[in-house]
Amino acid sequence: MTVQSSATERSAIAVSTSRPGGHGILQAALGVVAFSLTFPATAWGLEGFGPWSLVAVRSVLAALIAGGCLLALRIPPPARRHWAGLAVVAGGVVVGFPLLTTLALRTSTTAHAAVVVGLLPLTTALLSALRTGVRPSRTFWAAAVAGACAVAAFTVQQSGGAVTTADLYLFGALLVCAAGYTEGGRLARVMPGWQVIGWALVLCLPLGVPAAWLALAHESAHLSAHSVAGLLWVAAGSQFLGLVVWYRGMAAIGVPKASQLQLAQPLLTLVWSVLLLGEHLTPAAPLTAAAVLVCIAVTQRARG
């Protein structure tokens, strides 16, 4: 059984690495578009739910969607050796990132939070290099660091030189999310990407149900079109469908290069924050987003 499963994993890796790069870039880009709507949708959700309720309920809804798909297709549980990695994915992208960013958005604008999260590509690339041993070229790192520096400068300028509590939440979210992306990208090379996030969501269900019940008991919910739409998007769009194509893209083109596509996410979120939330941007926000966007072309063309 061990020999057969090992052969299956090697075959899966061979298939994933042989996929056309353009196809992988497209899937990862679709994931970025889905993620770019997360902060505006969270802001909508907070109009009717408390932060703890929103995070717990979105996790439960996403887990029910994922579990339904796994049951309908009769997907067997992953091998025991994969559960530790799935736990990292669950802790990072199912629980940690949604909770910390939701807490940050109580006092931070979506525009500010979006640009701070522009540090996520560099964080993910660093953790991926440490975890997998893959070493991108110096050109890649130079472009990634340049984008991160632009984001750091924006953060300091926006906060008047002081780091706020919201920024601390966001920086914590960067670390746990990068860990979840790195481990999920690795697992997506040996199992379909939708199963990676699907099993990670199901893993959180025993904790998510009582957490949702307790949160709703202590935080009153006021349903409205905005709050319901926001909840449904962060549960189905950001938490499940976006991560499905994201992990498939990472498996096809590699975690470091896929991660740098997220440099476009702040720019997209800034657009949504204006169109959906009516926020007014400072000149520094779009300029910073445009600066990090330029770095994408460099990282995608860089060797390795």
Side-chain angles (χ1 to χ4, degrees):
M1 181 65 69
T2 302
V3 174
Q4 182 178 4
S5 62
S6 298
T8 301
E9 288 191 12
R10 288 194 297 269
S11 175
I13 292 174
V15 170
S16 68
T17 54
S18 65
R19 295 171 183 163
H23 186 56
I25 291 175
L26 176 61
Q27 291 185 96
L30 288 174
V32 171
V33 173
F35 300 153
S36 71
L37 278 161
T38 300
F39 286 171
T42 299
W44 274 8
L46 287 172
E47 293 180 11
F49 296 90
W52 298 93
S53 301
L54 182 61
V55 173
V57 173
R58 73 180 273 186
S59 174
V60 171
L61 290 179
L64 292 176
I65 295 172
C69 293
L70 291 168
L71 283 175
L73 297 175
R74 299 181 179 179
I75 304 298
R80 182 180 298 179
R81 64 185 177 279
H82 295 322
W83 283 106
L86 289 171
V88 175
V89 175
V93 303
V94 177
V95 178
F97 186 81
L99 176 60
L100 291 171
T101 53
T102 299
L103 291 173
L105 285 171
R106 292 184 304 168
T107 56
S108 173
T109 65
T110 58
H112 178 82
V115 181
V116 173
V117 173
L119 288 169
L120 182 58
L122 177 61
T123 309
T124 303
L126 286 171
L127 289 183
S128 175
L130 293 173
R131 178 69 174 87
T132 65
V134 176
R135 299 291 186 267
S137 66
R138 292 181 180 179
T139 301
F140 173 93
W141 287 118
V145 170
C149 288
V151 171
F154 169 82
T155 304
V156 173
Q157 184 270 332
Q158 286 289 100
S159 60
V163 177
T164 65
T165 301
D167 288 329
L168 293 178
Y169 283 134
L170 291 169
F171 289 137
L174 294 177
L175 293 176
V176 297
C177 188
Y181 281 172
T182 298
E183 200 63 23
R186 185 188 67 81
L187 288 172
R189 300 177 73 86
V190 296
M191 69 175 72
W194 76 271
Q195 292 183 27
V196 173
I197 186 57
W199 286 114
L201 286 164
V202 170
L203 187 63
C204 292
L205 193 56
L207 295 176
V209 171
W213 182 82
L214 287 173
L216 289 172
H218 290 83
E219 294 178 341
S220 59
H222 305 283
L223 300 184
S224 65
H226 274 186
S227 62
V228 172
L231 172 63
L232 292 177
W233 178 258
V234 294
S238 303
Q239 195 84 77
F240 184 61
L241 297 177
L243 285 168
V244 167
V245 292
W246 176 243
Y247 283 137
R248 286 177 61 89
M250 284 198 294
I253 64 176
V255 175
K257 283 196 172 183
S259 69
Q260 298 311 298
L261 290 174
Q262 281 198 295
L263 288 171
Q265 187 171 323
L267 179 61
L268 293 172
T269 300
L270 293 178
V271 173
W272 299 130
S273 69
V274 173
L275 295 178
L276 300 178
L277 304 176
E279 291 187 359
H280 300 286
L281 306 180
T282 64
L287 288 176
T288 304
V292 297
L293 182 60
V294 170
C295 296
I296 292 179
V298 179
T299 59
Q300 297 306 301
R301 293 175 63 89
R303 180 176 56 84

